[in-house]
Amino acid sequence: MESIVPTGIHGLDKILSGGFPQGSVIVVEGAPGTGKTTLGLQFLYEGATKDNEGGLYITFEELPNQIYKNALSYGWYIHKQEASNLLRIVSISPELLMQEVGKQGGLFEQIVQEVNCRRVVIDSISLFRYGSDNEETLRKKIYTLRNILRKLHITSLFLREQTYDQSDTTAFENYVVDGVIRLSLKPLMVSHRIRTLEVLKMRGTKITEGEHNFNFTDAGIYLSPLYSMVEDPALSQPALRLPTGIPGLDDLLQGGLPKGSVFLLDTNSRANYEYIINGIYFERLREGDRAIMVLSSTTPLTLLQQYAKMYGVSLEEEVRQGKVCFIDHYNRPIPAGFEKSTICLGGMDEMEGQRRVEQWLVSTDQDPREGKEWVVFYDFNTVYTYRGAQSTKRLFADEVARSRTNGSTVLALCNFSEMDPELASFLERVGNGIIRTWVDGNYQYLQIVKSPGGYMSAPRMIENISGYPFIRLV
């Protein structure tokens, strides 16, 4: 396995799965002022101070004194590292560099040996264009420099100014190097700007895609990886997970639904959520959990029985053992044998319905106050349609309170875009996690947008498959 070189930059190693592959050559591109020089210096300084790896900073435009001054603003005492033969700042022309890198015993080879160089930053390769007669000469210079650094197993950063529209043109250097990192300044609200870093390419290591925000601090660059939020330690322990039965979803949830959490499945009107809900529901029954389901307006018990057969579960046997119960807001026919396990609330007002449910839970031995563990599946779209916003809000607050008191796990279906905005905001704020699924064009996607562990996922496409669990994430 290829060795990994830690960058030492907070957050960057995380999105690079540990750091840069050793000996790789990486372009760091961006407009002036985006932080290329700081990133390069920090990479060298951290390597020298923490990993005892020699580094070389080659600058074509700035004098060493300016580099020292920039580094000192972050508390990096480069003179001290130079005195220990761990760092070297060299100001040289592009032409002289190309003469020396290929010369045996030349200046470049001498410096590499003196500092036992393992890291190099070249600032910036954009100047090679000004000294090249044509594109072929430029390519030859870049290829030569890349091959020599690879041969020496030196991990190298080529800084490059962005002077053209990247959406229309990709510089040839991006094709021949091992990695490409883009630094940008993006508008934030009306009068502010945010700095972002995106890894466009990195051979030899898994990356976290997307634009990640970063700031300059007193100690250098501090990057906050995309999809990270504040953690709830009480619900983020990996041992307390309930697998969903959908492998890709379990991966995104880092093992499954956190036990004792309240998760919301947010869908849009075109998304097919049945295989997600049913996959999780029948997986929990297969694993021996007790479950209560508040039936959807579109999923009567007769249809749920058909789904059960697809998933290899005998719903009749689960009912016989008293392990499942159903709440229906509509007075629909109840299949034979399900009468004691089902309560219909059609025609009842909110207070009467709540009282009847509590009495019924006690009579069916599913009373959460007895401290027995169970999983509850809610369709809040149906509750919202039937009872309205205020009743839905009260019901959700009650379920959250029960979950946090008794350790039950709740998965609730909703559609924020079609709900009262105040209610949708309340559900999003109070729930521990949100799984979002939607249709865009001809594809359906799924994303974890909130979780107790502070983790958010990248969107994944949902693909239908012929066998269990009938969907997969790709």
Side-chain angles (χ1 to χ4, degrees):
M1 183 177 177
E2 197 168 19
S3 298
I4 294 295
V5 178
T7 69
I9 298 172
H10 184 278
L12 183 55
D13 288 335
K14 183 175 182 179
I15 68 172
L16 291 170
S17 298
F20 298 132
Q22 187 177 39
S24 58
V25 178
I26 298 143
V27 164
V28 178
E29 63 181 19
T34 51
K36 300 182 298 298
T37 298
T38 301
L39 190 149
L41 281 172
Q42 191 168 351
F43 171 64
L44 296 183
Y45 189 79
E46 293 292 328
T49 55
K50 295 182 179 178
D51 300 315
N52 206 39
E53 289 193 346
L56 172 61
Y57 193 98
I58 298 174
T59 173
F60 296 147
E61 294 184 288
E62 296 192 64
L63 296 175
N65 282 341
Q66 185 61 46
I67 302 294
Y68 297 143
K69 184 178 178 180
N70 291 344
L72 194 58
S73 66
Y74 297 110
W76 304 334
Y77 295 92
I78 291 182
H79 283 301
K80 182 178 180 181
Q81 302 303 322
E82 283 189 315
S84 302
N85 259 345
L86 282 171
L87 277 183
R88 193 67 55 86
I89 309 295
V90 176
S91 181
I92 194 173
S93 70
E95 295 75 20
L96 186 55
L97 174 65
M98 294 311 300
Q99 291 177 22
E100 294 296 326
V101 292
K103 185 187 299 183
Q104 187 172 0
L107 177 63
F108 182 78
E109 184 178 314
Q110 291 177 30
I111 296 175
V112 166
Q113 292 177 353
E114 286 174 7
V115 300
N116 189 24
C117 185
R118 309 313 316 148
R119 306 183 182 206
V120 164
V121 173
I122 298 178
D123 184 7
S124 81
I125 61 169
S126 302
L127 292 183
F128 281 129
R129 292 185 177 273
Y130 303 131
S132 302
D133 298 331
N134 51 53
E135 192 75 8
E136 184 179 349
T137 303
L138 174 61
R139 288 174 180 265
K140 184 176 180 181
K141 289 179 181 179
I142 298 296
Y143 275 118
T144 299
L145 194 55
R146 181 204 68 177
N147 292 341
I148 289 173
L149 292 168
R150 276 184 178 176
K151 184 178 180 181
L152 294 171
H153 300 291
I154 297 175
T155 309
S156 310
L157 302 185
F158 289 179
L159 309 189
R160 189 185 65 220
E161 299 291 340
Q162 244 180 305
T163 56
Y164 49 83
D165 186 354
Q166 292 289 344
S167 64
D168 296 331
T169 308
T170 300
F172 85 91
E173 297 100 304
N174 288 18
Y175 294 101
V176 302
V177 296
D178 302 298
V180 178
I181 294 175
R182 179 177 296 166
L183 306 183
S184 304
L185 277 169
K186 302 281 186 178
L188 179 65
M189 296 185 288
V190 178
S191 57
H192 300 279
R193 309 268 282 178
I194 190 72
R195 299 180 185 276
T196 67
L197 180 151
E198 183 175 11
V199 182
L200 301 179
K201 168 184 174 181
M202 194 63 61
R203 295 171 181 154
T205 189
K206 183 179 179 181
I207 63 173
T208 302
E209 296 180 344
E211 290 184 289
H212 308 270
N213 292 354
F214 73 91
N215 291 314
F216 294 128
T217 70
D218 292 341
I221 289 175
Y222 187 103
L223 184 142
S224 299
L226 189 63
Y227 313 125
S228 60
M229 298 191 302
V230 178
E231 180 179 6
D232 182 349
L235 294 174
S236 58
Q237 301 177 51
L240 303 177
R241 300 281 170 165
L242 302 179
T244 67
I246 305 170
L249 181 55
D250 284 336
D251 289 342
L252 295 185
L253 291 168
Q254 300 177 319
L257 294 173
K259 187 176 179 181
S261 65
V262 177
F263 259 71
L264 297 159
L265 176 62
D266 176 31
T267 73
N268 70 12
S269 56
R270 295 176 59 198
N272 186 340
Y273 58 84
E274 295 286 359
Y275 286 119
I276 302 172
I277 287 285
N278 288 326
I280 300 173
Y281 177 66
F282 291 114
E283 175 66 15
R284 296 325 310 153
L285 293 184
R286 289 159 66 104
E287 291 295 318
D289 288 346
R290 291 182 170 192
I292 296 175
M293 176 172 276
V294 179
L295 295 170
S296 164
S297 60
T298 59
T299 309
L301 273 172
T302 50
L303 181 56
L304 195 63
Q305 286 177 288
Q306 296 178 33
Y307 280 123
K309 293 177 182 178
M310 289 176 56
Y311 285 89
V313 173
S314 172
L315 205 55
E316 294 76 10
E317 181 62 22
E318 299 292 329
V319 168
R320 191 185 67 80
Q321 294 183 17
K323 295 175 64 176
V324 292
C325 291
F326 307 98
I327 300 173
D328 197 346
H329 280 81
Y330 303 90
N331 288 323
R332 294 181 283 201
I334 300 174
F338 283 63
E339 294 86 356
K340 291 184 178 180
S341 299
T342 307
I343 182 171
C344 294
L345 303 181
M348 300 182 193
D349 61 27
E350 180 186 352
M351 295 301 294
E352 181 185 4
Q354 184 175 352
R355 181 180 58 81
R356 287 287 301 276
V357 168
E358 290 179 353
Q359 292 174 346
W360 173 74
L361 287 173
V362 173
S363 67
T364 55
D365 197 31
Q366 292 288 347
D367 185 2
R369 290 170 296 189
E370 295 297 324
K372 296 173 181 176
E373 296 177 359
W374 46 278
V375 183
V376 60
F377 294 79
Y378 259 99
D379 182 351
F380 275 122
N381 292 330
T382 296
V383 176
Y384 175 68
T385 300
Y386 195 84
R387 299 290 184 187
Q390 291 304 313
S391 293
T392 305
K393 186 175 181 179
R394 283 192 292 269
L395 181 59
F396 184 70
D398 287 343
E399 283 304 328
V400 170
R402 289 192 189 101
S403 171
R404 291 175 179 171
T405 301
N406 302 296
S408 57
T409 305
V410 179
L411 177 62
L413 178 69
C414 58
N415 185 341
F416 294 148
S417 64
E418 296 183 2
M419 285 183 167
D420 176 80
E422 183 181 345
L423 172 62
S425 177
F426 175 78
L427 297 179
E428 288 188 282
R429 183 174 69 254
V430 176
N432 301 121
I434 299 172
I435 304 169
R436 182 161 292 154
T437 183
W438 70 98
V439 173
D440 186 0
N442 295 321
Y443 293 94
Q444 183 168 341
Y445 297 87
L446 183 146
Q447 182 181 18
I448 309 299
V449 298
K450 179 182 179 181
S451 72
Y455 171 75
M456 298 173 65
S457 76
R460 300 276 292 275
M461 287 189 296
I462 298 178
E463 180 182 65
N464 286 107
I465 56 176
S466 58
Y468 177 87
F470 308 107
I471 59 171
R472 66 180 168 205
L473 307 187
V474 293

